[in-house]
Amino acid sequence: MSAITLRLPDDKHQRLKILAEQRGTSINQLLNEMATLLLADFDAETRFRLRAERGRGKTEHGLELLRKAMG
């Protein structure tokens, strides 16, 4: 596990502290959960872009498959 130093304005730190307290967790855990969500979004976008690239130029083939599936 790694440790990082995060510099935040005092008001933002205070707001995060309040949020963490309201959720019954620590600021560290709150930031860990936020990082997990951001990474999940990044991974989903990356997968989407890769699939879109693989399908580039195959629109008509995809539409033909849909027409065939619909009968």
Side-chain angles (χ1 to χ4, degrees):
M1 185 171 296
S2 298
I4 62 170
T5 300
L6 178 63
R7 290 178 180 83
L8 296 171
D10 291 337
D11 62 321
K12 192 175 289 185
H13 178 261
Q14 187 60 32
R15 292 177 66 205
L16 284 171
K17 184 177 177 182
I18 292 167
L19 177 61
E21 287 173 356
Q22 287 180 356
R23 293 183 177 211
T25 191
S26 65
I27 293 177
N28 184 70
Q29 185 60 34
L30 184 70
L31 292 175
N32 186 35
E33 291 171 10
M34 290 168 45
T36 299
L37 292 172
L38 285 169
L39 289 170
D41 284 350
F42 174 75
D43 291 344
E45 182 179 344
T46 300
R47 284 191 303 274
F48 177 82
R49 288 181 185 277
L50 288 172
R51 287 182 178 185
E53 188 59 36
R54 284 197 310 256
R56 190 175 307 275
K58 300 179 183 177
T59 305
E60 191 54 44
H61 177 68
L63 291 173
E64 180 59 35
L65 290 173
L66 284 173
R67 284 190 286 271
K68 185 177 178 180
M70 294 174 69

